[in-house]
């Protein structure tokens, strides 16, 4: 394959797939996002060219430019790795890049990565589903570009199960208000996992009514629902007991 769309996982390099690690070690050029951690970047071959196209506040390469770059590098016959945080096809715009490569007649493959929508809650001791508590989970973006249709949060509140919000920190107050208007109780448990699976991980817990005022910083994965009361980590006994109370009440 001339281009590999590779998921870098949630941050911890130990959670990278073996295939991803092999591709990074053999790459001629790696085009990577801003959220890819240093531990993962350290696995790139020393001889490989690195191109940072990460989107940061106020700057960053457009998606059109990134897709064009991948096509150009692929046409040069280089072994190209497009390294994306999480999974390339979960809000990573990997689909757009795959379409551009296919239209250019280039061979490519997608290498899945562990998405933060599952890894972040797990790192905080939160199962996204749990028998008798949450039979399903919904993953949704909290960020929309101008001109894109808005998320119907009120309808989402009626779906049930766990709601996992990616890229929603900036709009968390409005999101919480819409979910409450849609029928979720103001005291619905919420957990926001910041910089998940890294040594800088922090978990902020609150209820839905207080989410807009909670001290949450990007990047963070926001979990809304009864399972957010869980803390099934080695030091999470108190919250685990609280979660058992949630189970007993259902």
């Amino acid at each position: 394959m001339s281009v590999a769309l590779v998921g870098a996982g949630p941050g911890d390099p130990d959670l990278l797939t073996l295939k991803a690690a092999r591709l990074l070690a053999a790459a001629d050029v790696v085009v990577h996002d801003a959220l890819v951690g240093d531990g993962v970047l350290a696995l790139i071959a020393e001889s490989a060219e690195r191109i940072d196209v990460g989107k940061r506040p106020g700057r960053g390469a457009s998606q059109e430019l990134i897709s064009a770059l991948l096509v150009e590098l692929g046409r040069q016959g280089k072994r190209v790795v497009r390294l994306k945080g999480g999974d390339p096809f979960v809000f990573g715009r990997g689909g757009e890049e795959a379409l551009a490569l296919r239209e250019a007649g280039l061979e490519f493959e997608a290498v899945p990565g562990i998405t933060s929508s599952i890894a972040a809650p797990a790192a905080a001791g939160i199962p996204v589903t749990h028998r008798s508590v949450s039979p399903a989970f919904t993953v949704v973006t909290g960020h929309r570009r101008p001109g894109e249709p808005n998320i119907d949060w009120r309808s989402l509140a009626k779906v049930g199960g766990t709601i996992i919000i990616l890229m929603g920190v900036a709009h968390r107050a409005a999101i919480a208000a819409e979910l409450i208007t849609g029928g979720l109780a103001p005291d619905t448990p919420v957990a926001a996992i910041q910089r998940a699976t890294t040594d800088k991980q922090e978990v902020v817990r609150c209820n839905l009514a207080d989410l807009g005022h909670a001290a949450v910083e990007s990047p963070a994965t926001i979990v809304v629902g009864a399972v957010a009361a869980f803390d099934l980590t080695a030091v999470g006994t108190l919250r685990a007991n609280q979660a058992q109370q949630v189970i007993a009440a259902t």
Side-chain angles (χ1 to χ4, degrees):
M1 297 295 171
S2 59
V3 180
L5 307 174
V6 176
D12 183 350
D14 285 344
L15 296 177
L16 195 70
T17 65
L18 292 173
K19 186 170 187 176
R22 287 198 297 268
L23 288 169
L24 289 175
D28 295 316
V29 57
V30 176
V31 181
H32 66 87
D33 285 341
L35 290 181
V36 177
D38 292 340
V40 175
L41 294 177
L43 299 175
I44 299 173
E46 292 185 4
S47 59
E49 178 185 3
R50 301 186 187 191
I51 303 176
D52 183 349
V53 295
K55 295 177 175 61
R56 298 172 176 83
R59 64 187 181 91
S62 69
Q63 187 56 53
E64 293 74 16
L65 180 61
I66 295 171
S67 295
L69 175 63
L70 294 178
V71 169
E72 176 59 28
L73 292 171
R75 284 174 173 165
Q76 294 175 14
K78 295 182 177 180
R79 291 170 294 187
V80 182
V81 170
R82 172 68 171 109
L83 190 60
K84 309 171 76 66
D87 182 274
F89 284 175
V90 180
F91 301 125
R93 298 185 182 176
E96 296 176 46
E97 295 166 0
L99 284 171
L101 291 165
R102 188 177 69 179
E103 290 172 359
L106 294 170
E107 293 185 346
F108 65 91
E109 66 174 326
V111 180
I114 299 177
T115 169
S116 61
S117 60
I118 297 173
I126 299 170
V128 294
T129 62
H130 192 87
R131 188 171 57 171
S132 79
V133 178
S134 177
F137 65 95
T138 302
V139 182
V140 59
T141 176
H143 173 73
R144 307 301 287 159
R145 293 190 299 178
E148 292 181 332
N150 293 325
I151 303 296
D152 188 349
W153 296 102
R154 298 183 187 185
S155 294
L156 189 58
K158 297 177 174 62
V159 171
T162 306
I163 301 172
I164 300 170
I165 305 167
L166 305 182
M167 300 176 288
V169 172
H171 304 289
R172 64 190 184 281
I175 291 170
E178 285 292 289
L179 289 173
I180 291 172
T181 300
L184 285 186
D187 63 352
T188 298
V190 174
I193 306 97
Q194 303 171 159
R195 298 174 292 277
T197 76
T198 73
D199 56 4
K200 297 180 180 179
Q201 175 175 303
E202 294 184 21
V203 182
V204 176
R205 296 178 184 269
C206 62
N207 59 42
L208 189 56
D210 295 332
L211 177 58
H213 305 291
V216 181
E217 299 178 355
S218 294
T221 299
I222 300 174
V223 183
V224 179
V227 294
F230 282 69
D231 185 355
L232 304 180
T233 59
V235 296
T237 305
L238 176 60
R239 291 196 182 95
N241 290 338
Q242 293 172 337
Q244 290 301 321
Q245 296 173 10
V246 172
I247 295 172
T250 58

